[in-house]
């Protein structure tokens, strides 16, 4: 009789970590940084909201490395510079096998 087994590596479950942005507070631009544990490109989205929950901007793409840095120019979907104040952002990464992880943080825009 033969025994079959499957080895599941460390990359089997999607993990999202080290979410931060810098500078914070920021005046013109900020870089949103996050890390995931997958070995291949994964789709991501960064949704930025006002503290009242109003959507401000969506940044999206595919990861090109395990540690990603996405520059945001402080503009909303219409291209206008956002007002000074507190904002929230959510980073969501999806794996090719359907797993999704998300994490949220806040930042402050100053003039």
């Amino acid at each position: 009789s033969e025994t079959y087994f499957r080895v599941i590596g460390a990359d089997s479950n999607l993990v999202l970590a080290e979410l931060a942005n810098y500078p914070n507070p920021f005046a013109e631009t900020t870089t949103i940084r996050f890390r995931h544990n997958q070995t291949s490109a994964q789709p991501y989205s960064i949704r930025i909201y006002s503290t009242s929950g109003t959507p401000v901007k969506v940044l999206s793409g595919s990861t090109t490395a395990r540690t990603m840095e996405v520059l945001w120019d402080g503009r909303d979907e219409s291209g206008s510079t956002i007002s000074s104040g507190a904002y929230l952002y959510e980073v969501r990464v999806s794996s090719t096998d359907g797993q999704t992880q998300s994490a949220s943080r806040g930042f402050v825009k100053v003039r």
Side-chain angles (χ1 to χ4, degrees), residues 62-79:
S62 290
T63 59
T64 56
R66 287 187 179 188
T67 300
M68 288 292 298
E69 293 188 347
V70 180
L71 180 67
W72 180 47
D73 62 5
R75 297 182 183 276
D76 63 17
E77 290 292 352
S78 68

Side-chain angles (χ1 to χ4, degrees):
S1 129
E2 294 181 354
T3 302
Y4 294 93
F5 62 94
R6 186 172 134 195
V7 176
I8 299 181
D11 290 347
S12 64
N13 291 318
L14 175 62
V15 175
L16 177 62
E18 300 177 26
L19 176 61
N21 76 288
Y22 60 90
N24 188 11
F26 72 98
E28 293 181 16
T29 64
T30 189
T31 299
I32 299 170
R33 182 179 194 267
F34 61 94
R35 184 170 173 79
H36 68 88
N37 67 331
Q38 302 296 293
T39 56
S40 60
Q42 307 298 320
Y44 73 85
S45 66
I46 302 170
R47 297 181 183 277
I48 300 165
Y49 301 93
S50 68
T51 54
S52 65
T54 304
V56 173
K57 181 74 175 181
V58 176
L59 307 168
S60 62
S62 290
T63 59
T64 56
R66 287 187 179 188
T67 300
M68 288 292 298
E69 293 188 347
V70 180
L71 180 67
W72 180 47
D73 62 5
R75 297 182 183 276
D76 63 17
E77 290 292 352
S78 68
S80 300
T81 302
I82 62 169
S83 301
S84 296
Y87 292 84
L88 304 170
Y89 65 98
E90 175 190 47
V91 173
R92 181 176 301 266
V93 177
S94 301
S95 67
T96 53
D97 66 359
Q99 297 179 63
T100 300
Q101 289 291 322
S102 64
S104 301
R105 299 283 185 273
F107 55 68
V108 176
K109 166 75 162 71
V110 295
R111 289 205 185 261

